[in-house]
């Protein structure tokens, strides 16, 4: 773990509890969850290794102090899985892919059962089924339509033939499963790295089991502390096992933290007792299409479900871009390597980070990336600067796609106070085969 942290982890980790309260409320809540867990675990380890972790005496009180407990309203937060929303497994040409949330939505009629949806389908469906903020849903939906679809719709799984080809596509849109390092990335929670497993959309049983076990050891609760710790393990696995590991500006700095935080933020079951959500092992299994009793799990690809009697986020607490920015930052403060854009250079354990200042012409650096909204600003703005290169492999004329992305990035960054990133120096990426492979065939 040496070469890729180009800045001082020690300085970052010296925050005191007082500093925590200087952060915006969501961030303090996330940090508290991660920190109090670490404190509790350290205390347990001191006493004895066999006892179960105690209920942390601070967390609840601190969260109330930070004023972040959302209200709970059973009627509006209940998510139906019966009637019009009963589970129907995919069949025939139905598409399912790397995203368990979208797979479950398609199986339960919260988006088209075919797994191919329009931008609007993704925006309305993610609000209705999970309580995703319209800002975040809009950006994720448009990004998918541009890079993995035909500018208006896209598949949550593999390729589908575009009938009208209005966007001037050079080939069939590849869908989310074929979006490696554009959308889909390495270091996924349960999906394997593409160049390690040959696919990036199936659940790897060993990874699911490891996550489940961490939740079990945490009192049957998969929370941000568990997810942050396991993300660090997965990051190290990619460094030491995937010679083509690439932590890209968008898929690594935005899509990856989203994939990790979404597990707790969306899948957690909200209730009066746990208005922030509680994600136990059974609920995790349902959303990940895993059946059977531990340790004899069985995974059925594409059969993700909404469990019975499950409650989503409250309408006043939808998960927005600023909220994601705070969670991503909280995770990165614990593990600065998450923000290290770069990768292995063709062999395992060869991780080299790019120099952010050189990449961004001095606009971002390792230190200011951790200030205010810079992390999310960098990921969003870099996606726009990287776009022409990737889009030229997809469209005859890249301008409509580029304009659409430009508009989406500017509305997503609107109000975040982002510094202006005019260009990025792509040559910084030439030493990473994970990146050059992406360029060479346009798809993977
Ligand atoms: C427009 C909306 C969405 C889009 C375009 C989208 C897309 C994606 C993509 C491309 C990935 C793969 C990222 C990776 O390589 O790790 C992913 C992963 C993931 N998504 Fe979504 N997603 C959306 C909404 C949601 C929602 C509402 C949930 C709610 C639970 C969700 C939960 C997840 C999780 C947990 C993962 C990580 C899967 C794993 O490796 O275990 N997503 N999503
Ligand atoms: C969600 O929480 C409520 C209240 O505790 C509980 O009745 C319900 O069974 C839970 N749902 C799931 C899927 O765990």
């Amino acid at each position: 773990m040496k070469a890729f942290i180009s800045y001082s982890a020690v300085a970052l980790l010296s925050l005191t509890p007082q500093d925590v309260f200087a952060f915006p409320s969501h961030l303090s809540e996330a940090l508290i969850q991660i920190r109090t867990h670490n404190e509790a675990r350290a205390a347990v380890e001191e006493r004895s290794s066999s006892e179960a972790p105690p209920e942390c005496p601070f967390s609840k009180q601190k969260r109330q102090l930070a004023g972040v407990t959302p209200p709970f309203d059973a009627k509006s937060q209940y998510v139906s899985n019966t009637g019009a929303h009963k589970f129907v497994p995919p069949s025939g040409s139905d598409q399912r892919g790397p995203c368990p949330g979208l797979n479950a939505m398609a199986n339960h009629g919260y988006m088209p059962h075919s797994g191919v949806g329009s931008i609007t389908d993704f925006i309305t469906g993610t609000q209705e089924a999970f309580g995703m903020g319209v800002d975040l849903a809009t950006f994720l939906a448009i990004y998918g339509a541009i890079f993995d679809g035909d500018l208006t719709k896209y598949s949550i799984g593999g390729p589908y033939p575009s009938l009208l080809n209005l966007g001037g596509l050079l080939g069939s849109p590849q869908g989310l499963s074929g979006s490696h390092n554009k959308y889909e990335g390495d270091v996924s929670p349960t999906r394997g790295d593409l160049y390690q497993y040959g696919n990036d959309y199936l659940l790897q049983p060993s990874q699911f089991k490891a996550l489940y076990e961490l939740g079990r050891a945490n009192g049957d609760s998969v929370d941000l502390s568990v997810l942050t710790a396991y993300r660090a393990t997965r990051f190290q696995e990619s460094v030491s096992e995937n010679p083509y590991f690439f932590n890209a500006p968008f898929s690594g700095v935005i899509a990856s933290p989203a994939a990790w935080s979404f597990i707790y933020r969306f899948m957690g079951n909200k209730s009066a007792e746990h208005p922030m959500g509680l994600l136990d092992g059974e609920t995790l299994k349902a959303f990940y299409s895993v059946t059977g009793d531990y340790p004899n799990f069985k995974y059925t690809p594409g059969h993700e479900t909404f469990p019975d009697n499950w409650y989503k986020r409250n309408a006043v607490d939808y998960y927005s871009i600023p909220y994601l920015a705070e969670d991503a930052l909280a995770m990165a403060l614990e593990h600065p390597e998450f923000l290290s854009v770069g990768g292995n250079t063709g062999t395992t354990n060869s991780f080299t980070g790019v120099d952010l200042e050189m990449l961004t012409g001095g606009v971002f650096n390792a230190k200011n990336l951790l200030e205010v909204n810079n992390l999310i600003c960098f990921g969003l703005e870099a996606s726009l600067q990287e776009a022409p290169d990737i889009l030229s492999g997809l469209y005859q004329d890249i301008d409509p796609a580029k304009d659409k992305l430009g508009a989406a990035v500017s509305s997503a960054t609107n109000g975040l106070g982002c510094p202006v990133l005019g260009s990025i120096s792509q040559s910084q990426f030439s030493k990473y085969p994970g990146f050059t492979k992406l360029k060479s065939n346009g798809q993977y």
Side-chain angles (χ1 to χ4, degrees):
M1 300 282 285
K2 39 193 176 349
F4 55 86
I5 303 176
S6 52
Y7 38 88
S8 167
V10 178
L12 295 173
L13 297 176
S14 62
L15 287 172
T16 64
Q18 283 72 28
D19 295 327
V20 171
F21 287 100
F23 280 99
S25 58
H26 299 316
L27 175 60
S28 21
E29 187 269 329
L31 277 174
I32 287 162
Q33 224 185 77
I34 295 166
R35 269 156 203 286
T36 47
H37 175 79
N38 290 346
E39 286 160 16
R41 188 158 44 188
V44 170
E45 277 162 8
E46 254 172 43
R47 285 211 315 271
S48 101
S49 53
S50 60
E51 278 175 59
E55 247 290 281
C56 173
F58 305 114
S59 53
K60 207 168 171 191
Q61 186 198 355
K62 276 188 181 170
R63 255 179 252 158
Q64 277 162 2
L65 273 175
V68 295
T69 306
F72 177 72
D73 170 50
K75 194 162 176 283
S76 62
Q77 291 178 239
Y78 170 69
V79 176
S80 169
N81 64 355
T82 61
H85 292 296
K86 78 167 197 291
F87 173 76
V88 180
S91 61
S93 61
D94 292 338
Q95 300 293 325
R96 300 293 182 266
C99 179
L102 297 176
N103 290 355
M105 280 167 50
N107 291 337
H108 285 272
Y110 286 103
M111 66 167 281
H113 193 257
S114 64
V116 179
S118 68
I119 291 172
T120 311
D121 290 332
F122 286 96
I123 298 170
T124 52
T126 52
Q127 291 183 76
E128 209 190 337
F130 284 105
M132 185 183 278
V134 69
D135 58 342
L136 180 57
T138 302
F139 187 80
L140 295 180
I142 293 177
Y143 190 92
I146 293 170
F147 288 101
D148 308 328
D150 67 358
L151 293 186
T152 63
K153 55 189 189 306
Y154 60 100
S155 155
I156 66 174
Y160 74 99
S162 180
L163 295 174
L164 295 172
N165 199 3
L166 293 173
L169 286 159
L170 296 169
S172 274
Q174 295 298 305
L176 294 182
S177 299
S179 69
H180 187 58
N181 283 345
K182 290 181 281 181
Y183 216 146
E184 192 285 324
D186 296 327
V187 197
S188 303
T190 71
R191 273 57 182 163
D193 286 10
L194 177 65
Y195 298 120
Q196 223 182 318
Y197 289 92
N199 82 75
D200 57 14
Y201 56 89
L202 294 173
L203 176 144
Q204 296 303 326
S206 61
Q207 290 171 213
F208 179 83
K209 195 159 159 251
L211 179 58
Y212 182 94
E213 283 172 346
L214 288 171
R216 217 171 129 97
N218 188 42
D220 196 19
S221 163
V222 174
D223 63 11
L224 294 173
S225 69
V226 162
L227 291 163
T228 303
Y230 189 48
R231 186 177 169 199
T233 304
R234 289 280 305 121
F235 194 98
Q236 183 53 44
E237 281 171 6
S238 292
V239 171
S240 57
E241 292 166 29
N242 176 1
Y244 303 133
F245 171 35
F246 184 54
N247 199 34
F250 183 79
S251 59
V253 175
I254 299 205
S256 179
W260 285 94
S261 75
F262 285 8
I263 295 177
Y264 172 71
R265 295 298 190 194
F266 286 130
M267 294 177 179
N269 178 40
K270 284 66 177 179
S271 62
E273 309 96 289
H274 299 282
M276 304 289 302
L278 172 69
L279 180 55
D280 64 18
E282 283 306 305
T283 301
L284 185 75
K285 282 166 58 190
F287 278 118
Y288 270 104
S289 194
V290 170
T291 53
D293 289 328
Y294 176 82
N296 302 311
F297 288 149
K298 180 175 186 297
Y299 164 57
T300 311
H303 285 212
E304 290 80 0
T305 61
F306 283 85
D308 294 340
N309 209 5
W310 180 84
Y311 298 84
K312 68 169 178 174
R313 305 186 68 83
N314 188 278
V316 302
D317 188 40
Y318 275 15
Y319 195 68
S320 61
I321 289 176
Y323 205 149
L324 168 63
E326 289 158 10
D327 281 346
L329 187 54
M331 289 188 269
L333 287 168
E334 293 290 315
H335 289 281
E337 69 270 26
F338 296 159
L339 295 186
S340 192
V341 171
N344 279 337
T345 55
T347 53
T348 55
N349 292 313
S350 59
F351 194 104
T352 315
V354 297
D355 181 325
L356 269 186
E357 276 192 276
M358 274 162 77
L359 181 73
T360 63
V363 176
F364 293 101
N365 56 53
K367 195 163 162 280
N368 77 11
L369 201 57
L370 296 161
E371 289 164 9
V372 215
N373 295 312
N374 280 354
L375 183 168
I376 211 103
C377 291
F378 164 70
L380 292 168
E381 295 185 308
S383 76
L384 188 59
Q385 298 306 327
E386 274 182 289
D389 225 46
I390 302 174
L391 293 173
S392 60
L394 301 173
Y395 296 95
Q396 277 152 21
D397 172 8
I398 69 165
D399 286 347
K402 218 180 72 190
D403 292 349
K404 198 171 177 115
L405 184 65
V409 168
S410 72
S411 58
T413 53
N414 187 21
L416 296 182
C418 292
V420 178
L421 178 63
S423 65
I424 60 172
S425 160
Q426 295 260 18
S427 61
Q428 297 291 317
F429 294 147
S430 54
K431 57 179 171 290
Y432 306 113
F435 176 77
T436 50
K437 275 158 135 2
L438 161 75
K439 276 185 66 178
S440 62
N441 62 13
Q443 306 168 3
Y444 279 13

